[in-house]
Amino acid sequence: MDNFTFYAPTYFVFGKATENETGKYVKRFGGSKVLIHYGGGSVVRTGLLDRVKKSLEAENLGYVELGGVRPNPRSGLVYEGIRLCRKEKVDFILAVGGGSTIDSAKAIAAGVPYDGDFWDYYQGRVVEEALPLGTVITISAAGSEGSADSVITKEEGMYKRGATGEALRPKFTIMNPALTQTLPPYQTACGITDILAHLYERYLTNTKDVECTDRMIEGLMLTMLHEGPRVMENPDNYEARANIMWAGMMAHNNSCGVGRSQDWTSHDIEHELSAMYDCAHGAGLAVVMPAVFTYNLKHDVLRLAQLAVRVWGCQMDFGNPERTAKEGIEALRRFLISIGMPKNFGELGAQEKDIEKMAHSCCYGDGRTGTTGGYVSLNQQDVENIYRLML
Ligand code: NZQ
Ligand code: ZN
């Protein structure tokens, strides 16, 4: 196991009706004037925004609002949010919504105290200072509610990039699984896919002897394989949604990623797709993951074969472990199709003619230096080959 430090001090408040306590937690973590940030309107339609505002008012907290975050959140609204916070002397950011809203809120939180352009953080500068931030999540997917990361798309050039820094971890996160019951099935499935992807990105490691985190990842994957179909079958299944919500947070706050190298190839390759076609991140991952795993299969056949046996229930073929590893990838592909995810470029709305451009952006765009991938180092030609496997 590699040396590591791990500090993830988010205060989680889990369960039914917990959103009514939001104001109490804003106060507890030092907020007095709040920016409420939200998305395209689901939180207005469900009445959640009103309940959250009421809880702030009950604590005599002032607030301003900024809605309109879109999936694959854009830099333009971040600049607007930073200006608004400075003008209104906001001292606490509250994200009410999904990963896109949380990521936009994190970008604003980092941008307000920073003299330079907030985009510097999305080009590799570590976020060391940010306004405190809390979240009320409405979809189990990105894991941003517990992560130290944020992903934003810069409108100029359409670069989708991530920033990181402990200062971005939410002070608190309100998790009421019932809030996810209003999700369209497609978004629920995208979330399930993203959670599985966060687990695969960590499982694919070059670090030896990481049994503890291997087993944690496998346990979370098995949870998703059990609960995912249950929630697709019955969207009102609170218990299944509760298990998925906690698994989604655990998959990405990095408790199962410490002490080991990680991959993130599938995410890098997917981010080019969602930047280019504005597709849902989870849907893009459903198409990308089987292609990446197939392309990298020979790097460490036993790792994927182990996963195939322990998670996908495949029989180990000791004479030909590559066959077992491939069976595991096929089982993943079948699972993703069964929950309604796209399986190729066409179904995603992607086009062959854009492959070279996306591969170039993935390896060289916005200051990158020519390769991607923490598990296997891939160049532009490799990335093009992987996109071609998705046709
Ligand atoms: O905008 P509204 O109207 O709220 O609608 C949203 C949106 O259209 C809707 N929705 C969310 N909760 C709902 C709901 N509709 C009805 N009822 C509810 N309860 O769902 C749609 C998708 O929302 P979004 O926030 O985009 O979803 P998600 O949480 O999947 O976030 C995706 C973004 O997170 C990034 C992705 O790249 C993508 O930009 N990621 C962030 C990470 C992080 N910060 O750590 C890691 C991830 O790997 C990921 O890359
Ligand atoms: Zn993701």
Side-chain angles (χ1 to χ4, degrees):
M1 200 186 290
D2 299 335
N3 288 3
F4 67 88
T5 61
F6 185 58
Y7 182 63
T10 306
Y11 194 104
F12 294 101
V13 185
F14 194 101
K16 292 173 185 164
T18 43
E19 66 272 19
N20 298 323
E21 297 174 48
T22 308
K24 192 173 97 187
Y25 288 100
V26 170
K27 201 169 219 177
R28 179 168 173 164
F29 287 99
S32 60
K33 179 81 181 277
V34 181
L35 172 75
I36 308 177
H37 202 34
Y38 58 94
S42 72
V43 300
V44 179
R45 289 192 294 280
T46 58
L48 172 63
L49 189 64
D50 280 342
R51 296 202 292 286
V52 166
K53 282 191 213 167
K54 223 180 256 173
S55 83
L56 298 183
E57 285 155 14
E59 300 290 338
N60 295 316
L61 294 164
Y63 58 81
V64 287
E65 290 174 46
L66 181 63
V69 182
R70 48 187 295 177
N72 304 318
R74 303 293 157 88
S75 52
L77 197 67
V78 173
Y79 289 114
E80 196 181 326
I82 293 169
R83 279 195 299 272
L84 181 65
C85 288
R86 287 178 180 159
K87 180 168 156 263
E88 297 287 338
K89 303 207 174 352
V90 162
D91 60 14
F92 197 96
I93 315 280
L94 181 64
V96 185
S100 295
T101 295
I102 299 173
D103 286 1
S104 183
K106 286 177 172 177
I108 295 170
V112 172
Y114 181 54
D115 284 341
D117 183 347
F118 92 91
W119 191 254
D120 294 347
Y121 292 127
Y122 293 77
Q123 290 183 306
R125 190 188 176 101
V126 174
V127 183
E128 279 169 1
E129 191 190 357
L131 287 186
L133 166 124
T135 85
V136 181
I137 64 161
T138 60
I139 172 172
S140 308
S144 190
E145 68 274 11
S147 83
D149 312 305
S150 158
V151 183
I152 299 289
T153 301
K154 181 183 175 182
E155 275 143 324
E156 195 192 345
M158 293 307 280
Y159 293 113
K160 186 172 182 180
R161 296 291 185 260
T164 193
E166 296 305 335
L168 290 181
R169 286 198 195 263
K171 297 292 175 210
F172 71 84
T173 279
I174 305 273
M175 307 175 89
N176 175 359
L179 297 178
T180 66
Q181 286 169 350
T182 55
L183 278 166
Y186 185 74
Q187 289 297 342
T188 298
C190 286
I192 291 167
T193 308
D194 194 16
I195 293 168
L196 277 174
H198 296 159
L199 295 164
Y200 267 96
E201 299 281 21
R202 292 181 166 89
Y203 203 82
L204 296 176
T205 184
N206 294 313
T207 313
K208 300 292 173 212
D209 292 324
V210 281
E211 185 73 1
C212 172
T213 40
D214 269 2
R215 292 294 187 180
M216 286 169 72
I217 295 171
E218 290 159 10
L220 290 166
M221 282 186 173
L222 287 165
T223 303
M224 295 308 296
L225 302 195
H226 184 256
E227 302 294 356
R230 284 190 345 130
V231 89
M232 294 311 296
E233 208 170 291
N234 175 12
D236 292 330
N237 186 331
Y238 177 88
E239 297 303 334
R241 288 206 179 266
N243 280 291
I244 289 175
M245 186 169 262
W246 192 243
M249 198 295 295
M250 290 292 289
H252 197 50
N253 86 333
N254 212 28
S255 47
C256 58
V258 292
R260 54 197 290 149
S261 71
Q262 302 181 13
D263 188 7
W264 300 99
T265 302
S266 296
H267 271 69
D268 277 356
I269 290 181
E270 192 294 313
H271 284 164
E272 298 304 326
L273 288 165
S274 44
M276 175 80 80
Y277 306 107
D278 209 12
C279 57
H281 172 59
L285 285 167
V287 177
V288 169
M289 280 193 289
V292 170
F293 305 156
T294 303
Y295 195 79
N296 286 341
L297 185 75
K298 290 204 163 68
H299 176 69
D300 183 353
V301 166
L302 288 179
R303 182 131 279 270
L304 275 173
Q306 172 178 290
L307 191 69
V309 171
R310 291 183 181 179
V311 172
W312 294 103
C314 303
Q315 279 282 334
M316 185 61 156
D317 183 339
F318 289 99
N320 186 1
E322 190 173 325
R323 212 188 77 184
T324 312
K326 279 184 183 155
E327 267 179 34
I329 298 171
E330 279 317 303
L332 166 69
R333 201 195 300 267
R334 277 196 305 277
F335 176 82
L336 297 173
I337 292 170
S338 78
I339 60 171
M341 287 288 92
K343 61 176 177 300
N344 55 34
F345 249 44
E347 288 183 19
L348 195 63
Q351 294 180 34
E352 189 175 1
K353 69 174 177 50
D354 296 323
I355 284 179
E356 195 184 331
K357 193 171 170 208
M358 288 190 292
H360 184 269
S361 173
C362 185
C363 293
Y364 292 100
D366 204 35
R368 290 204 176 155
T369 52
T371 56
T372 184
Y375 183 54
V376 182
S377 181
L378 302 169
N379 62 26
Q380 183 180 336
Q381 186 58 54
D382 293 315
V383 174
E384 280 185 35
N385 295 344
I386 290 171
Y387 281 126
R388 286 190 199 288
L389 290 179
M390 303 174 209
L391 292 171

